[in-house]
Amino acid sequence: MTDDIWRFDTLEQGAVFGPVTVPLDRERLTGWDGVYGPVIGDLAPDGLIVAGMMEAYIRAIQPRPKGNVHAGQKLSFTGAQARLGDSVAYTVTVAGKERKKGRNWITFAIHAQLAGTALMRGEVTAIWAA
Amino acid sequence: MTDFPDTIPPLTLTTSAETAQAYAALTQDWNPIHLDPEFAAKAGFDRPIAHGTMALNLAIQAVAQAEDGALRIADLDIRFTAPTWIGQSLTTRLTRTDGAEYDLRVVTDDGRSVLLGRARLARYDDAT
């Protein structure tokens, strides 16, 4: 399977990908600084966990078709916070699939954890290109 | 009963090739549709388009910077409704609708909404 592109038909509902570990390291922090400005203190902004979610979502399911569309997003934060330098573990689950008006809609549930403590749950709604 | 402000001060970000590169490094999403004008043109776009969650994280930052960092987003549900062309500015709009619930949108400098939805806010000293 890993040599083949993950297509709508091969992504089975309930399939779990990961965990993918994303370090809140200098490279990510430099990227954050370049867009949103410097982080004050050592607590990771919630947006850094969201950025890690996108990295995990991309890394977890590869190779993937070109042209997927990120159509919607749900997020729920637990209130727990990570610190700069921590590594956050993400799992990506195919939570739902629906073919509607000729488009392949997939909902991915993504959980972010830090050393077993839940940080965030997310749902990516995607239009899968193939 | 915790009080929440009627609006969250808007936050504006001007996108550029530099912010696109920085966001790519942040998310490790190096899709050339965000970075390469020639690739974007072949895909039918006049210019590269910003990563969608760049606007989402701008909204999360707007809340994080309000009231000296006392507020955070507890949950949200949004749709990405239009692309952001690299070079455009994005501005957040959060308006309270009821209790801790807010209408959430991010608009471009030409008045298009690129992100629409709702968010529920919380205070860091409140249980959720």
Side-chain angles (χ1 to χ4, degrees):
Chain A
M1 176 57 70
T2 54
D3 292 329
D4 297 328
I5 289 175
W6 285 101
R7 300 178 185 277
F8 181 79
D9 289 337
T10 55
L11 284 164
E12 295 183 4
Q13 186 160 343
V16 179
F17 297 83
V20 174
T21 300
V22 176
L24 306 180
D25 60 7
R26 183 176 299 275
E27 182 179 10
R28 274 81 175 176
L29 201 57
T30 299
W32 178 270
D33 189 341
V35 182
Y36 303 107
V39 174
I40 308 300
D42 69 344
L43 289 175
D46 285 343
L48 207 51
I49 309 305
V50 176
M53 176 191 74
M54 293 311 298
E55 176 179 345
Y57 165 63
I58 292 167
R59 282 172 49 193
I61 305 172
Q62 288 291 345
R64 55 174 55 199
K66 292 181 179 177
N68 298 331
V69 175
H70 188 176
Q73 183 70 56
K74 294 180 182 177
L75 294 173
S76 178
F77 295 94
T78 65
Q81 288 186 282
R83 294 184 182 278
L84 304 181
D86 284 342
S87 289
V88 179
Y90 296 85
T91 55
V92 180
T93 304
V94 179
K97 296 172 59 175
E98 183 180 17
R99 200 169 258 132
K100 194 168 55 179
K101 294 182 179 177
R103 288 180 163 180
N104 303 319
W105 292 84
I106 306 181
T107 302
F108 296 95
I110 304 177
H111 292 187
Q113 291 192 333
L114 175 65
T117 298
L119 297 176
M120 186 193 76
R121 300 170 64 121
E123 272 191 18
V124 170
T125 302
I127 303 170
W128 211 251
Chain B
M1 177 68 182
T2 302
D3 288 329
F4 290 90
D6 288 340
T7 60
I8 299 298
L11 194 60
T12 295
L13 165 69
T14 300
T15 66
S16 65
E18 290 74 24
T19 61
Q21 284 283 344
Y23 203 84
L26 172 60
T27 57
Q28 299 293 296
D29 179 358
W30 301 99
N31 186 333
I33 198 76
H34 306 301
L35 304 167
D36 182 350
E38 289 185 14
F39 184 92
K42 287 178 183 172
F45 297 110
D46 291 339
R47 284 181 273 173
I49 59 175
H51 298 76
T53 54
M54 185 186 288
L56 175 59
N57 269 338
L58 186 66
I60 292 171
Q61 272 302 92
V63 173
Q65 292 181 13
E67 297 198 353
D68 294 325
L71 299 175
R72 64 181 180 85
I73 286 181
D75 55 67
L76 60 76
D77 184 356
I78 61 94
R79 290 180 296 119
F80 297 106
T81 51
T84 300
W85 312 116
I86 293 295
Q88 288 192 304
S89 292
L90 295 170
T91 299
T92 61
R93 305 264 188 255
L94 283 116
T95 305
R96 193 165 68 91
T97 55
D98 184 35
E101 284 286 329
Y102 285 75
D103 176 88
L104 166 59
R105 61 190 61 211
V106 178
V107 299
T108 59
D109 44 3
D110 61 357
R112 291 180 306 119
S113 294
V114 298
L115 180 159
L116 287 172
R118 52 150 295 275
R120 182 173 63 92
L121 270 52
R123 292 186 179 275
Y124 274 106
D125 54 0
D126 289 345
T128 54

